mmCIF file with all atom_site columns, all heavy atoms in Angstrom:
data_model
loop_
_atom_site.group_PDB
_atom_site.id
_atom_site.type_symbol
_atom_site.label_atom_id
_atom_site.label_alt_id
_atom_site.label_comp_id
_atom_site.label_asym_id
_atom_site.label_entity_id
_atom_site.label_seq_id
_atom_site.pdbx_PDB_ins_code
_atom_site.Cartn_x
_atom_site.Cartn_y
_atom_site.Cartn_z
_atom_site.occupancy
_atom_site.B_iso_or_equiv
_atom_site.pdbx_formal_charge
_atom_site.auth_seq_id
_atom_site.auth_comp_id
_atom_site.auth_asym_id
_atom_site.auth_atom_id
_atom_site.pdbx_PDB_model_num
ATOM 1   N N   . VAL O 1 9   ? 16.316 -39.471 -18.799 1.00 0.00 ? 9   VAL O N   1
ATOM 2   C CA  . VAL O 1 9   ? 15.011 -39.302 -18.157 1.00 0.00 ? 9   VAL O CA  1
ATOM 3   C C   . VAL O 1 9   ? 15.209 -38.663 -16.776 1.00 0.00 ? 9   VAL O C   1
ATOM 4   O O   . VAL O 1 9   ? 14.515 -37.814 -16.342 1.00 0.00 ? 9   VAL O O   1
ATOM 5   C CB  . VAL O 1 9   ? 14.381 -40.647 -18.066 1.00 0.00 ? 9   VAL O CB  1
ATOM 6   C CG1 . VAL O 1 9   ? 13.246 -40.650 -17.042 1.00 0.00 ? 9   VAL O CG1 1
ATOM 7   C CG2 . VAL O 1 9   ? 13.930 -41.117 -19.429 1.00 0.00 ? 9   VAL O CG2 1
ATOM 8   N N   . LEU O 1 16  ? 12.471 -30.565 -14.819 1.00 0.00 ? 16  LEU O N   1
ATOM 9   C CA  . LEU O 1 16  ? 11.103 -30.386 -14.992 1.00 0.00 ? 16  LEU O CA  1
ATOM 10  C C   . LEU O 1 16  ? 10.411 -29.197 -14.265 1.00 0.00 ? 16  LEU O C   1
ATOM 11  O O   . LEU O 1 16  ? 9.731  -28.427 -14.820 1.00 0.00 ? 16  LEU O O   1
ATOM 12  C CB  . LEU O 1 16  ? 10.372 -31.672 -14.654 1.00 0.00 ? 16  LEU O CB  1
ATOM 13  C CG  . LEU O 1 16  ? 8.999  -31.754 -15.363 1.00 0.00 ? 16  LEU O CG  1
ATOM 14  C CD1 . LEU O 1 16  ? 9.130  -31.789 -16.951 1.00 0.00 ? 16  LEU O CD1 1
ATOM 15  C CD2 . LEU O 1 16  ? 8.266  -33.018 -14.850 1.00 0.00 ? 16  LEU O CD2 1
ATOM 16  N N   . SER O 1 59  ? 6.534  4.251   -37.554 1.00 0.00 ? 59  SER O N   1
ATOM 17  C CA  . SER O 1 59  ? 6.391  5.030   -36.276 1.00 0.00 ? 59  SER O CA  1
ATOM 18  C C   . SER O 1 59  ? 7.592  5.927   -36.069 1.00 0.00 ? 59  SER O C   1
ATOM 19  O O   . SER O 1 59  ? 8.753  5.410   -35.846 1.00 0.00 ? 59  SER O O   1
ATOM 20  C CB  . SER O 1 59  ? 6.116  4.129   -35.125 1.00 0.00 ? 59  SER O CB  1
ATOM 21  O OG  . SER O 1 59  ? 6.325  4.762   -33.944 1.00 0.00 ? 59  SER O OG  1
ATOM 22  N N   . SER O 1 61  ? 8.396  7.518   -33.387 1.00 0.00 ? 61  SER O N   1
ATOM 23  C CA  . SER O 1 61  ? 8.932  7.306   -32.044 1.00 0.00 ? 61  SER O CA  1
ATOM 24  C C   . SER O 1 61  ? 9.826  5.958   -32.074 1.00 0.00 ? 61  SER O C   1
ATOM 25  O O   . SER O 1 61  ? 10.878 5.891   -31.385 1.00 0.00 ? 61  SER O O   1
ATOM 26  C CB  . SER O 1 61  ? 7.844  7.206   -31.132 1.00 0.00 ? 61  SER O CB  1
ATOM 27  O OG  . SER O 1 61  ? 7.178  8.503   -31.057 1.00 0.00 ? 61  SER O OG  1
ATOM 28  N N   . ARG O 1 232 ? 8.454  8.370   -18.199 1.00 0.00 ? 232 ARG O N   1
ATOM 29  C CA  . ARG O 1 232 ? 8.078  7.617   -19.425 1.00 0.00 ? 232 ARG O CA  1
ATOM 30  C C   . ARG O 1 232 ? 8.507  8.269   -20.719 1.00 0.00 ? 232 ARG O C   1
ATOM 31  O O   . ARG O 1 232 ? 8.680  7.834   -21.725 1.00 0.00 ? 232 ARG O O   1
ATOM 32  C CB  . ARG O 1 232 ? 6.604  7.356   -19.407 1.00 0.00 ? 232 ARG O CB  1
ATOM 33  C CG  . ARG O 1 232 ? 6.085  6.368   -18.526 1.00 0.00 ? 232 ARG O CG  1
ATOM 34  C CD  . ARG O 1 232 ? 4.600  6.336   -18.476 1.00 0.00 ? 232 ARG O CD  1
ATOM 35  N NE  . ARG O 1 232 ? 3.983  6.163   -19.812 1.00 0.00 ? 232 ARG O NE  1
ATOM 36  C CZ  . ARG O 1 232 ? 2.740  6.198   -20.082 1.00 0.00 ? 232 ARG O CZ  1
ATOM 37  N NH1 . ARG O 1 232 ? 1.944  6.422   -19.135 1.00 0.00 ? 232 ARG O NH1 1
ATOM 38  N NH2 . ARG O 1 232 ? 2.290  5.971   -21.283 1.00 0.00 ? 232 ARG O NH2 1
ATOM 39  N N   . TYR O 1 239 ? 15.393 8.550   -25.356 1.00 0.00 ? 239 TYR O N   1
ATOM 40  C CA  . TYR O 1 239 ? 14.243 7.831   -25.456 1.00 0.00 ? 239 TYR O CA  1
ATOM 41  C C   . TYR O 1 239 ? 14.666 6.512   -26.171 1.00 0.00 ? 239 TYR O C   1
ATOM 42  O O   . TYR O 1 239 ? 15.057 6.431   -27.314 1.00 0.00 ? 239 TYR O O   1
ATOM 43  C CB  . TYR O 1 239 ? 13.162 8.620   -26.373 1.00 0.00 ? 239 TYR O CB  1
ATOM 44  C CG  . TYR O 1 239 ? 11.926 7.898   -26.630 1.00 0.00 ? 239 TYR O CG  1
ATOM 45  C CD1 . TYR O 1 239 ? 10.844 7.867   -25.658 1.00 0.00 ? 239 TYR O CD1 1
ATOM 46  C CD2 . TYR O 1 239 ? 11.762 7.204   -27.833 1.00 0.00 ? 239 TYR O CD2 1
ATOM 47  C CE1 . TYR O 1 239 ? 9.766  7.303   -25.955 1.00 0.00 ? 239 TYR O CE1 1
ATOM 48  C CE2 . TYR O 1 239 ? 10.585 6.684   -28.133 1.00 0.00 ? 239 TYR O CE2 1
ATOM 49  C CZ  . TYR O 1 239 ? 9.445  6.696   -27.201 1.00 0.00 ? 239 TYR O CZ  1
ATOM 50  O OH  . TYR O 1 239 ? 8.368  5.991   -27.471 1.00 0.00 ? 239 TYR O OH  1
ATOM 51  N N   . ASN O 1 247 ? 5.702  2.196   -22.850 1.00 0.00 ? 247 ASN O N   1
ATOM 52  C CA  . ASN O 1 247 ? 4.597  3.080   -23.190 1.00 0.00 ? 247 ASN O CA  1
ATOM 53  C C   . ASN O 1 247 ? 3.563  2.387   -23.925 1.00 0.00 ? 247 ASN O C   1
ATOM 54  O O   . ASN O 1 247 ? 2.398  2.684   -23.746 1.00 0.00 ? 247 ASN O O   1
ATOM 55  C CB  . ASN O 1 247 ? 5.133  4.288   -23.890 1.00 0.00 ? 247 ASN O CB  1
ATOM 56  C CG  . ASN O 1 247 ? 6.081  5.174   -23.001 1.00 0.00 ? 247 ASN O CG  1
ATOM 57  O OD1 . ASN O 1 247 ? 6.087  5.002   -21.714 1.00 0.00 ? 247 ASN O OD1 1
ATOM 58  N ND2 . ASN O 1 247 ? 6.819  6.078   -23.608 1.00 0.00 ? 247 ASN O ND2 1
ATOM 59  N N   . VAL W 2 6   ? 6.749  -41.335 -11.923 1.00 0.00 ? 6   VAL W N   1
ATOM 60  C CA  . VAL W 2 6   ? 7.169  -40.049 -11.460 1.00 0.00 ? 6   VAL W CA  1
ATOM 61  C C   . VAL W 2 6   ? 7.052  -39.068 -12.663 1.00 0.00 ? 6   VAL W C   1
ATOM 62  O O   . VAL W 2 6   ? 6.459  -37.971 -12.504 1.00 0.00 ? 6   VAL W O   1
ATOM 63  C CB  . VAL W 2 6   ? 8.524  -39.995 -10.809 1.00 0.00 ? 6   VAL W CB  1
ATOM 64  C CG1 . VAL W 2 6   ? 9.054  -38.655 -10.495 1.00 0.00 ? 6   VAL W CG1 1
ATOM 65  C CG2 . VAL W 2 6   ? 8.530  -40.891 -9.580  1.00 0.00 ? 6   VAL W CG2 1
ATOM 66  N N   . ILE W 2 7   ? 7.659  -39.578 -13.704 1.00 0.00 ? 7   ILE W N   1
ATOM 67  C CA  . ILE W 2 7   ? 7.745  -38.671 -14.912 1.00 0.00 ? 7   ILE W CA  1
ATOM 68  C C   . ILE W 2 7   ? 6.189  -38.303 -15.323 1.00 0.00 ? 7   ILE W C   1
ATOM 69  O O   . ILE W 2 7   ? 5.824  -37.199 -15.706 1.00 0.00 ? 7   ILE W O   1
ATOM 70  C CB  . ILE W 2 7   ? 8.502  -39.397 -16.121 1.00 0.00 ? 7   ILE W CB  1
ATOM 71  C CG1 . ILE W 2 7   ? 9.919  -39.243 -15.662 1.00 0.00 ? 7   ILE W CG1 1
ATOM 72  C CG2 . ILE W 2 7   ? 8.146  -38.639 -17.341 1.00 0.00 ? 7   ILE W CG2 1
ATOM 73  C CD1 . ILE W 2 7   ? 10.789 -40.127 -16.427 1.00 0.00 ? 7   ILE W CD1 1
ATOM 74  N N   . MET W 2 10  ? 4.694  -35.831 -13.000 1.00 0.00 ? 10  MET W N   1
ATOM 75  C CA  . MET W 2 10  ? 5.319  -34.427 -13.286 1.00 0.00 ? 10  MET W CA  1
ATOM 76  C C   . MET W 2 10  ? 4.771  -33.937 -14.545 1.00 0.00 ? 10  MET W C   1
ATOM 77  O O   . MET W 2 10  ? 4.447  -32.680 -14.734 1.00 0.00 ? 10  MET W O   1
ATOM 78  C CB  . MET W 2 10  ? 6.860  -34.534 -13.428 1.00 0.00 ? 10  MET W CB  1
ATOM 79  C CG  . MET W 2 10  ? 7.544  -34.934 -12.098 1.00 0.00 ? 10  MET W CG  1
ATOM 80  S SD  . MET W 2 10  ? 7.144  -33.762 -10.736 1.00 0.00 ? 10  MET W SD  1
ATOM 81  C CE  . MET W 2 10  ? 8.258  -32.477 -11.303 1.00 0.00 ? 10  MET W CE  1
ATOM 82  N N   . ASN W 2 117 ? -6.612 7.584   -21.804 1.00 0.00 ? 117 ASN W N   1
ATOM 83  C CA  . ASN W 2 117 ? -5.938 8.409   -22.891 1.00 0.00 ? 117 ASN W CA  1
ATOM 84  C C   . ASN W 2 117 ? -6.475 7.971   -24.308 1.00 0.00 ? 117 ASN W C   1
ATOM 85  O O   . ASN W 2 117 ? -7.185 6.976   -24.468 1.00 0.00 ? 117 ASN W O   1
ATOM 86  C CB  . ASN W 2 117 ? -4.437 8.342   -22.869 1.00 0.00 ? 117 ASN W CB  1
ATOM 87  C CG  . ASN W 2 117 ? -3.907 6.904   -23.231 1.00 0.00 ? 117 ASN W CG  1
ATOM 88  O OD1 . ASN W 2 117 ? -4.351 6.285   -24.017 1.00 0.00 ? 117 ASN W OD1 1
ATOM 89  N ND2 . ASN W 2 117 ? -2.854 6.644   -22.387 1.00 0.00 ? 117 ASN W ND2 1
ATOM 90  N N   . GLN W 2 412 ? -2.581 11.325  -20.507 1.00 0.00 ? 412 GLN W N   1
ATOM 91  C CA  . GLN W 2 412 ? -1.115 11.226  -20.727 1.00 0.00 ? 412 GLN W CA  1
ATOM 92  C C   . GLN W 2 412 ? -0.603 12.307  -21.263 1.00 0.00 ? 412 GLN W C   1
ATOM 93  O O   . GLN W 2 412 ? 0.499  12.926  -20.844 1.00 0.00 ? 412 GLN W O   1
ATOM 94  C CB  . GLN W 2 412 ? -0.908 9.914   -21.612 1.00 0.00 ? 412 GLN W CB  1
ATOM 95  C CG  . GLN W 2 412 ? 0.689  9.774   -21.781 1.00 0.00 ? 412 GLN W CG  1
ATOM 96  C CD  . GLN W 2 412 ? 1.422  9.610   -20.508 1.00 0.00 ? 412 GLN W CD  1
ATOM 97  O OE1 . GLN W 2 412 ? 1.225  8.798   -19.640 1.00 0.00 ? 412 GLN W OE1 1
ATOM 98  N NE2 . GLN W 2 412 ? 2.433  10.578  -20.380 1.00 0.00 ? 412 GLN W NE2 1
ATOM 99  N N   . LEU W 2 444 ? 6.528  12.637  -29.201 1.00 0.00 ? 444 LEU W N   1
ATOM 100 C CA  . LEU W 2 444 ? 6.990  11.199  -28.969 1.00 0.00 ? 444 LEU W CA  1
ATOM 101 C C   . LEU W 2 444 ? 5.817  10.366  -28.636 1.00 0.00 ? 444 LEU W C   1
ATOM 102 O O   . LEU W 2 444 ? 5.699  9.277   -29.192 1.00 0.00 ? 444 LEU W O   1
ATOM 103 C CB  . LEU W 2 444 ? 7.970  11.240  -27.660 1.00 0.00 ? 444 LEU W CB  1
ATOM 104 C CG  . LEU W 2 444 ? 9.454  11.319  -27.869 1.00 0.00 ? 444 LEU W CG  1
ATOM 105 C CD1 . LEU W 2 444 ? 10.133 11.278  -26.516 1.00 0.00 ? 444 LEU W CD1 1
ATOM 106 C CD2 . LEU W 2 444 ? 9.972  10.306  -28.903 1.00 0.00 ? 444 LEU W CD2 1
ATOM 107 N N   . GLY W 2 447 ? 3.671  9.598   -31.717 1.00 0.00 ? 447 GLY W N   1
ATOM 108 C CA  . GLY W 2 447 ? 4.452  8.858   -32.707 1.00 0.00 ? 447 GLY W CA  1
ATOM 109 C C   . GLY W 2 447 ? 4.594  7.358   -32.270 1.00 0.00 ? 447 GLY W C   1
ATOM 110 O O   . GLY W 2 447 ? 5.095  6.542   -33.088 1.00 0.00 ? 447 GLY W O   1
ATOM 111 N N   . GLU W 2 448 ? 4.150  6.978   -31.063 1.00 0.00 ? 448 GLU W N   1
ATOM 112 C CA  . GLU W 2 448 ? 4.425  5.644   -30.603 1.00 0.00 ? 448 GLU W CA  1
ATOM 113 C C   . GLU W 2 448 ? 3.344  4.652   -31.221 1.00 0.00 ? 448 GLU W C   1
ATOM 114 O O   . GLU W 2 448 ? 2.268  5.024   -31.436 1.00 0.00 ? 448 GLU W O   1
ATOM 115 C CB  . GLU W 2 448 ? 4.282  5.586   -29.034 1.00 0.00 ? 448 GLU W CB  1
ATOM 116 C CG  . GLU W 2 448 ? 5.430  6.096   -28.396 1.00 0.00 ? 448 GLU W CG  1
ATOM 117 C CD  . GLU W 2 448 ? 5.349  6.146   -26.857 1.00 0.00 ? 448 GLU W CD  1
ATOM 118 O OE1 . GLU W 2 448 ? 4.167  6.197   -26.405 1.00 0.00 ? 448 GLU W OE1 1
ATOM 119 O OE2 . GLU W 2 448 ? 6.351  6.190   -26.166 1.00 0.00 ? 448 GLU W OE2 1
#
Side-chain angles (χ1 to χ4, degrees):
Chain O
V9 167
L16 202 57
S59 157
S61 300
R232 286 172 58 190
Y239 178 81
N247 292 345
Chain W
V6 173
I7 288 162
M10 292 302 280
N117 67 40
Q412 180 53 56
L444 269 183
E448 281 175 341

